[in-house]
Amino acid sequence: MLIRNVSVLIVPEQGECRVDEAQDIHVQDDRIVAITPTADASDAGEPPTEVVDGSGLLAVPGLVNSHTHSPMVMMRGAAEDLNIEDWFNRRIWPMEVNLTPERVRVGARLACAEMLLAGVTTFVDHYFHADQIAAAAIESGIRADLAPTFFSSAGQDAVDAAFETTGDLSARHPRITASLGPHATYTVTDEDLRRTADLARSDGRRIHLHAAETDDQTQASLEKHGVTPIQVLERTGVLEAGALVAHGCGIREEDLPILERYADRTTVASCPKVYLKLAMSEVTPIKRLRSAGVNVGIGTDGAAVHNTLDVWEAIRMVALTQKQREHDAEWMTLSDTLRLATRGSAAAAGLENQIGVLEPGRQADIALVDLSAPHHQPVHDPRAALVYSMRASDVVTVLVAGQIVVRDRQLTTMDLAEVLADAKSLAHTLVDLSQGGAVQHYAP
Ligand SMILES: [Zn+2]
């Protein structure tokens, strides 16, 4: 396949990002094999099987949602204007009593549709019934790293079942990888975290969990246990095994030397819209983490608080909240933001050698975006358009592993009308609170 005459976003490991105009992207099977200046049709050699006209479009690495709970799209808008404690205890955890495999699958299909149409080609998920999420991901054509989630309060059988699902998922499909998914340091015992770390080391897997989500959680951990959540991750072996830590807004100065020791295998995923919405006192300390050599990726978290799975929105929020946090408009530049969104989030997915950059040898996970709408024009700097003006609807065509999954703003893999109708017909069952009970109680 050939994507012809397209502009290409180049994201170097360091320094300024740039856009190369009039390029041809050559794709063979699932990979990019070459990127060359657009040649005359007359001097082309072997004719490609399929040509995608990229005229007027900008090719960017397919986005990665580096922390989400995809089926929670079914609870969009059903837990608003609440503090974090009420959000968990009065809405989300009582609602999750209603989860069934079918409802999770319907939610995951909706989530995959939303993400692909927005140019998100990989998501890093953390949820229950992960086998159903895998099925939706495989059907939709998206790439996913899935962590079957567990609470210690659910009992040893539930923990073992989550471990088993992680093992089963890995062999399902080349686009699916699996991680271990303890919920958080305050909902999983040290003993279960140790078991998770042992299994991660023996199976060569990563651990995806919430830790130090807020400064209040860190304070509660210090008061109850005398250690920070990051210290819990160290003493239970989670950091040594390799962890994707969601949020980390409550990471303290004394945690940084610890994280620095495991920087080669640690990522923190930042989802700032959630921190603003829940009125949290801190956002992820990205500047300090990067100084300690720790990778950072960008995610949305679940749509029960983020409302969308729009990673463009998350990217913009990262740039804005980091400038505000550091009181420094010159920090988190366009290039640094785009690097975090591409290379950083690819590493968060554990796929730093596979995706995140458009270059020969990488997986052909590509989004073609259109900057011709009024909210982009005139384009003095396409990098600024990507960070500050993009809307999900500006995404025109999307490839994952060399397959076209969105063509001219339409999904090619699923019937969107059916996906939407299924979600609509089941939505009320997920938010029903008449059953009573809850899957967990929030008391960090
Ligand atoms: Zn989360």
Side-chain angles (χ1 to χ4, degrees):
M1 188 195 298
L2 182 70
I3 303 172
R4 191 171 159 75
N5 192 28
V6 71
S7 298
V8 177
L9 176 70
I10 305 295
V11 183
E13 277 183 61
Q14 290 178 340
E16 292 285 300
C17 298
R18 66 172 199 275
V19 169
D20 289 350
E21 290 177 4
Q23 302 288 304
D24 287 352
I25 304 176
H26 306 253
V27 175
Q28 206 166 349
D29 301 323
D30 57 351
R31 283 175 197 279
I32 298 169
V33 290
I35 301 178
T36 58
T38 297
D40 291 338
S42 55
D43 62 42
E46 191 90 350
T49 349
E50 181 167 12
V51 178
V52 174
D53 183 12
S55 304
L57 301 177
L58 169 60
V60 301
L63 297 183
V64 178
N65 190 344
S66 69
H67 172 72
T68 190
H69 315 283
S70 59
M72 292 182 95
V73 291
M74 296 294 273
M75 304 162 186
R76 219 192 292 266
E80 300 294 330
D81 301 330
L82 295 167
N83 65 55
I84 190 168
E85 206 169 315
D86 286 347
W87 186 84
F88 273 124
N89 288 334
R90 292 180 52 206
R91 292 287 196 283
I92 301 305
W93 282 341
M95 286 176 185
E96 286 183 341
V97 167
N98 300 312
L99 293 175
T100 64
E102 185 198 15
R103 292 167 188 172
V104 166
R105 185 163 176 160
V106 165
R109 290 179 87 222
L110 174 60
C112 290
E114 181 186 355
M115 287 191 279
L116 285 173
L117 287 165
V120 178
T121 53
T122 299
F123 68 108
V124 186
D125 209 64
H126 188 267
Y127 211 57
F128 312 98
H129 301 292
D131 56 327
Q132 300 298 319
I133 303 167
I138 292 166
E139 178 193 3
S140 73
I142 203 167
R143 194 184 297 281
D145 180 81
L146 307 171
T149 300
F150 61 89
F151 302 114
S152 288
S153 60
Q156 281 311 299
D157 288 351
V159 176
D160 290 340
F163 288 163
E164 203 172 309
T165 305
T166 298
D168 293 346
L169 287 175
S170 327
R172 289 273 304 263
H173 194 280
R175 279 186 279 102
I176 304 294
T177 54
S179 296
L180 292 156
H183 176 264
T185 46
Y186 57 91
T187 50
V188 177
T189 62
D190 279 18
E191 194 192 330
D192 282 339
L193 288 175
R194 277 195 192 91
R195 286 181 64 208
T196 307
D198 288 345
L199 189 61
R201 273 193 304 270
S202 66
D203 289 3
R205 289 188 203 292
R206 297 179 323 144
I207 301 163
H208 178 182
L209 81 175
H210 300 98
E213 292 171 287
T214 67
D215 193 61
D216 287 349
Q217 282 179 12
T218 301
Q219 192 56 37
S221 177
L222 281 165
E223 284 164 15
K224 282 186 190 169
H225 312 294
V227 284
T228 67
I230 297 300
Q231 288 168 334
V232 171
L233 297 185
E234 186 187 34
R235 76 179 184 190
T236 53
V238 169
L239 290 180
E240 197 199 334
L244 168 55
V245 175
H247 312 311
C249 304
I251 289 172
R252 298 270 177 98
E253 281 300 317
E254 62 262 37
D255 293 325
L256 293 168
I258 300 173
L259 291 168
E260 191 165 15
R261 280 204 288 284
Y262 302 100
D264 62 336
R265 68 201 88 161
T266 306
T267 285
V268 176
S270 190
C271 313
K273 182 176 171 185
V274 172
Y275 317 147
L276 299 183
K277 200 168 174 205
L278 293 176
M280 286 163 47
S281 58
E282 291 287 343
V283 299
T284 316
I286 296 179
K287 192 170 191 178
R288 286 173 174 74
L289 288 166
R290 293 300 298 127
S291 300
V294 176
N295 182 64
V296 176
I298 299 174
T300 61
D301 210 352
V305 57
H306 197 277
N307 298 67
T308 71
L309 300 180
D310 181 350
V311 176
W312 297 107
E313 189 182 16
I315 292 169
R316 177 151 56 243
M317 290 279 178
V318 163
L320 295 173
T321 54
Q322 288 300 313
K323 285 177 187 293
Q324 160 73 11
R325 184 192 194 281
E326 304 297 337
H327 304 297
D328 183 359
E330 295 175 13
W331 158 246
M332 199 50 77
T333 62
L334 297 174
S335 290
D336 287 340
T337 307
L338 290 170
R339 194 162 15 251
L340 223 61
T342 54
R343 290 179 180 270
S345 291
L351 298 169
E352 58 273 31
N353 299 319
Q354 301 285 316
I355 60 171
V357 190
L358 300 182
E359 66 184 21
R362 299 265 174 171
Q363 286 286 305
D365 290 16
I366 305 168
L368 303 183
V369 306
D370 178 4
L371 304 182
S372 67
H375 56 271
H376 287 300
Q377 292 293 321
V379 181
H380 291 298
D381 186 337
R383 304 168 306 172
L386 291 173
V387 173
Y388 290 116
S389 309
M390 271 295 288
R391 297 179 187 172
S393 54
D394 298 326
V395 174
V396 177
T397 294
V398 180
L399 281 77
V400 182
Q403 299 299 308
I404 295 182
V405 289
V406 174
R407 189 194 298 272
D408 298 333
R409 296 185 168 89
Q410 304 292 321
L411 278 175
T412 64
T413 49
M414 295 194 294
D415 177 351
L416 183 60
E418 184 204 328
V419 169
L420 293 171
D422 287 351
K424 201 172 174 187
S425 75
L426 284 183
H428 66 285
T429 64
L430 262 302
V431 298
D432 176 16
L433 295 177
S434 66
Q435 304 292 316
V439 293
Q440 177 71 35
H441 182 75
Y442 183 76

